[in-house]
């Protein structure tokens, strides 16, 4: 049991999770998992998400928001992470700008985001692993083509 825990934490704190040519996912301790859980619950509460009432919907939202990152190389992993982070930041900027932008400016910003989304879809499809199980393929499809969820309790 101790050996298994040590094996699961081989990449923690390392420059790269690609060890000996193979990706090693990080696994947290109970304390690390609880700490993150408390942080996320507090964040959701302070930001007015109804995470208790709509727990299942939130889990779907989180699953859609955190797609699997490529593990073929550290560079591909970093690029995909940076793209996701940029999308979130752009969306936030758009939300903030809604109150100060004209309809025309909003429409142009939306079209720009649509173009960027299409570019990212092409990149993801190009980098998509060729051999996947049916369930993984369905998950990729849901992540790539599902419209963004606009609120809990609605369609997603």
């Amino acid at each position: 049991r101790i050996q298994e825990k040590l094996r699961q934490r081989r990449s923690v704190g390392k420059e790269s999770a690609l060890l000996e040519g193979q990706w090693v996912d990080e696994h947290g301790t109970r304390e690390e998992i609880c700490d993150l859980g408390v942080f996320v619950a507090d964040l959701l509460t302070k930001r007015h998400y109804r995470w208790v009432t709509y727990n299942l919907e939130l889990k779907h939202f989180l699953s859609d928001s955190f797609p699997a990152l490529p593990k073929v190389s550290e560079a591909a992993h970093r690029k995909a992470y940076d793209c996701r982070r940029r999308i979130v930041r752009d969306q936030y900027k758009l939300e903030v700008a809604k109150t100060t932008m004209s309809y025309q400016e909003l429409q142009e910003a939306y079209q720009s985001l649509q173009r960027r989304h299409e570019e990212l879809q092409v990149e993801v499809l190009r980098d998509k692993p060729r051999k996947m199980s049916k369930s993984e393929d369905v998950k990729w499809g849901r992540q790539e083509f599902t419209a963004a969820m606009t609120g809990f309790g609605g369609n997603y």
Side-chain angles (χ1 to χ4, degrees):
R1 184 159 159 92
I2 292 174
Q3 290 297 326
E4 177 63 18
K5 289 287 184 191
L6 290 173
R7 188 185 67 73
Q8 291 178 342
R9 294 186 57 87
R10 290 185 303 159
S11 63
V12 175
K14 302 278 188 197
E15 179 88 15
S16 173
L18 204 56
L19 304 176
E20 299 172 12
Q22 186 175 12
W23 190 268
V24 178
D25 289 324
E26 291 188 349
H27 295 266
T29 63
R30 282 183 192 241
E31 292 81 17
E32 290 164 333
I33 293 167
C34 287
D35 178 60
L36 183 61
V38 168
F39 172 80
V40 171
D42 188 50
L43 184 72
L44 293 170
T45 299
K46 287 179 178 176
R47 294 188 179 180
H48 321 295
Y49 286 83
R50 298 188 63 200
W51 64 274
V52 176
T53 301
Y54 296 107
N55 191 271
L56 180 61
E57 292 83 357
L58 176 66
K59 288 174 182 174
H60 289 293
F61 176 73
L62 289 171
S63 180
D64 291 341
S65 297
F66 291 94
L69 297 175
K71 55 185 185 176
V72 293
S73 72
E74 193 66 38
H77 186 271
R78 172 59 57 192
K79 182 179 177 183
Y81 174 86
D82 290 344
C83 283
R84 294 298 305 168
R85 184 73 193 265
R86 205 169 20 259
I87 288 169
V88 171
R89 286 182 175 169
D90 288 348
Q91 180 66 34
Y92 174 75
K93 289 176 190 174
L94 185 61
E95 291 295 323
V96 169
K98 278 184 192 178
T99 58
T100 60
M101 295 174 77
S102 70
Y103 176 78
Q104 180 66 31
E105 290 169 323
L106 282 171
Q107 189 173 29
E108 289 169 5
Y110 176 72
Q111 289 169 349
S112 174
L113 282 173
Q114 279 185 314
R115 285 190 299 275
R116 180 66 180 139
H117 177 73
E118 289 169 3
E119 291 168 5
L120 290 172
Q121 282 181 326
V122 170
E123 285 183 36
V124 167
L125 289 173
R126 184 185 66 234
D127 295 340
K128 180 178 172 183
R130 297 298 174 231
K131 293 183 180 179
M132 296 183 137
S133 71
K134 185 160 181 78
S135 65
E136 288 174 321
D137 200 41
V138 168
K139 188 173 181 181
W140 268 89
R142 189 178 82 221
Q143 290 168 353
E144 292 172 6
F145 301 112
T146 301
M149 187 168 91
T150 58
F152 297 121
N155 294 332
Y156 49 89

